[in-house]
Amino acid sequence: MTPSDAEMSDERDGMTPAKSQPNSVPNKKIFPTIIMSSRLLLRVAQPASRTGAVRSGAKRMASGSPGTGPGMGDEWATQAQAALRQAQTYANANPWTRYAAGGVAVLGGMWLVVGGKKGKAVAGEDGHSQHTAKDDARNDVDAKIQKYTKSLANSNEKPSTRNAPGSSSVAKGSAVVSTPAKQEDEDICMRDKMAAFVRKMQAKIVDSLDAIEVQAAKELGITPKLLVRDEWIRAEGGAGLSCVLQNGNVFEKAGVLVSVVHGPASPELIKQMRARKKEGIMEEGNYRMFAAGCSMVLHPHNPNAPTAHLNYRYFELSREGEDKPAAAWFGGGCDLTPSYLYEEDAVQFHQVIKDVCDKHDASYYPKFKKWCDDYFYVPHRKEMRGVGGIFFDDMEHGDHNKIFKWVEECGLSFTDQYMPIIRRRWNAPFSEEMKRWQQLCRGRYVEFNLVYDRGTKFGLVTPGARIESIMCSLPLTARWEYMHEPAEGSREAELVKVLKAPREWVV
């Protein structure tokens, strides 16, 4: 399971407040209200044939049709005059409307008095609109998050790079405040940074997968099949986006899942965290959890093309009523599971992730490569699930911003790890015997995921867990045969030998 999606835009959030136009009318909000109310009151007396027209007019006023924007004082005056003429016409036609017109006049006077006082409360002496402290705080936070997300979307090489080296601007109130880029990055809470990052990573991977499916369809002369986008809401808190393809032209099954969820932590979850010796987690007390992550599994049709898996995540536990996390950590990794061994594929996959690791800490790749070999081990088969990659979990010590930068670059490098491999393997010739072996290998994959995988266990004890997301990692088809052994000296036997004795693919 993955702990997807930050559509947090509001046209006015994070922007400099607009200046109000010259005060040609006492309070522009008064006129639409008076006009709309007058038309609704006049409906009491109007003929049935006029009902539709007046209802339409009221809807136009309520929805803010032309004339509802700033600086439209003249148009409001025109609308008001038209409403008064209409009221006079109705009054002449039906005596009941005189009472309605009188009611409109009384309401209009009240609105003028109350609206004028309210106008003074929300407008400064110079006529400029003023935000409350709560609005300023919200706009400030939203602006930072939107700016960070925008920087991710606009950057191809280094997603965390800001718009200008060394500095950036954040809209706050009516002034633009310049702050150092590093400080701004640290001011954005880790929850928001991870939420933005996993969505960015998902979009990049899905775009690449769709492009491969489209290219394959062109070469085959058939209709392309793209990943289906499935947005979902978690009742306990949070949401996600699952992008899934079944029976595509290249992939038998592909899933790229994002979730950003929060809510009460179950006793079973707390028990798991204590078993993993999480510092700060006590047995007693109520906790809330937050998790953000992207998980991906790709199962190609062609046995020459390897299965690939990726997961990068961030998790927090906080005591009920407290903002500061009692525990927070990162986890994730990526790994490759071939049915037929191509050494150049394994080297490419490992080299790309090693280069990323070395940029941040030279100890990362050897440490997390070994952890991957150990983690993706199937004890009852006495073999690894594949040719590895990296795996890490419980990264809670040290500078979280630096850890995030590394995690971010690892995730965004996946397309360089895997896409060249699938492009050269997806249409390679294969036999029925090779397809049968691929299904047997996928049986091993299923065994590991259902019996040993931490992500599966974590998902199943999370309140409100989405089972479809948890089980999305499983292949569409798999096979088990009694006492099957590959022939000595075969390519299948060569793979098994590697799975029983992990190699060092890069130096």
Side-chain angles (χ1 to χ4, degrees), residues 1 375 448-461 470-471 473:
M1 187 187 100
Y375 177 77
F448 175 85
N449 279 29
L450 294 183
V451 178
Y452 303 109
D453 186 59
R454 278 188 186 182
T456 303
K457 292 179 180 179
F458 170 82
L460 294 176
V461 300
I470 298 171
M471 298 303 176
S473 65

Side-chain angles (χ1 to χ4, degrees), residues 427-446:
N427 205 21
F430 64 90
S431 65
E432 284 299 319
E433 187 62 26
M434 292 175 69
K435 188 67 178 176
R436 175 168 162 263
W437 172 251
Q438 179 196 51
Q439 302 305 297
L440 289 169
C441 291
R442 286 185 176 169
R444 305 289 208 269
Y445 198 97
V446 171

